[in-house]
Amino acid sequence: DAEITQSPRHKITETGRQVTLACHQTWNHNNMFWYRQDLGHGLRLIHYSYGVQDTNKGEVSDGYSVSRSNTEDLPLTLESAASSQTSVYFCASSPGGSSYEQYFGPGTRLTVT
Amino acid sequence: AQSVTQLGSHVSVSEGALVLLRCNYSSSVPPYLFWYVQYPNQGLQLLLKYTSAATLVKGINGFEAEFKKSETSFHLTKPSAHMSDAAEYFCAVSADNQGGKLIFGQGTELSVKP
């Protein structure tokens, strides 16, 4: 069955370190999204992509970057981790076109100490 | 700009009682509306969606929602709550001019008492 996976599921890192969170989908979806979920804020969009070599900033993109070298993967990189980036991160994908529903991965819980 | 407001960050019902989770949206163009459910330590799962066809939308697990343009609402209901319905629920909105992005509400945590 097609799916979307994230790794690692849990990560503890230190302030200042570079961290990369992986997202892989097997639906062949064009659109991919990264969100962070924090208590009281719901889900906030970090970055998104409409296809290979396309990336766009969301509402909370500072300190994060993404790259899209193939259809299946959209890794999220924290260039220099900060305690404010402690959060749960979700990746999602959607077919694009006139189909707007998104399908979510299981999430990565990141703690920055 | 679009926005979503979920009234009540926490709702508690008794098992067997009606579930009503409120969602109001703001959109300058015809919206597409979604309800997602999130169980503890899991990702979001699509419950149902409104895409301008029928205004009463049926979803999984016995949930349904009604799109009311005059009230700019898309409330989620279930006639009889089950213990397994305890989760967080998110309402989200999109539109043709949003490039496939979703705007999420803050979420409503549903508790079900035995």
Side-chain angles (χ1 to χ4, degrees), chain B residues 8-58:
Chain B
S9 59
H10 189 100
V11 171
S12 182
V13 301
S14 297
E15 192 172 19
L18 171 72
V19 175
L20 171 61
L21 304 182
R22 299 177 188 273
C23 172
N24 287 88
Y25 70 91
S26 173
S27 180
S28 58
V29 296
Y32 300 95
L33 294 157
F34 306 85
W35 276 100
Y36 283 86
V37 60
Q38 184 182 31
Y39 298 104
N41 300 314
Q42 295 187 25
L44 278 70
Q45 179 183 0
L46 182 66
L47 266 181
L48 50 80
K49 62 180 180 180
Y50 166 77
T51 56
S52 77
T55 56
L56 182 62
V57 181
K58 295 187 183 299

Side-chain angles (χ1 to χ4, degrees), chain A residues 37 40-41 50 100-102, chain B residues 32 36 38 49 96 99 106:
Chain A
Q37 183 179 30
H41 290 277
Y50 292 136
Y100 298 142
E101 64 264 33
Q102 295 180 14
Chain B
Y32 300 95
Y36 283 86
Q38 184 182 31
K49 62 180 180 180
D96 287 335
Q106 306 286 6

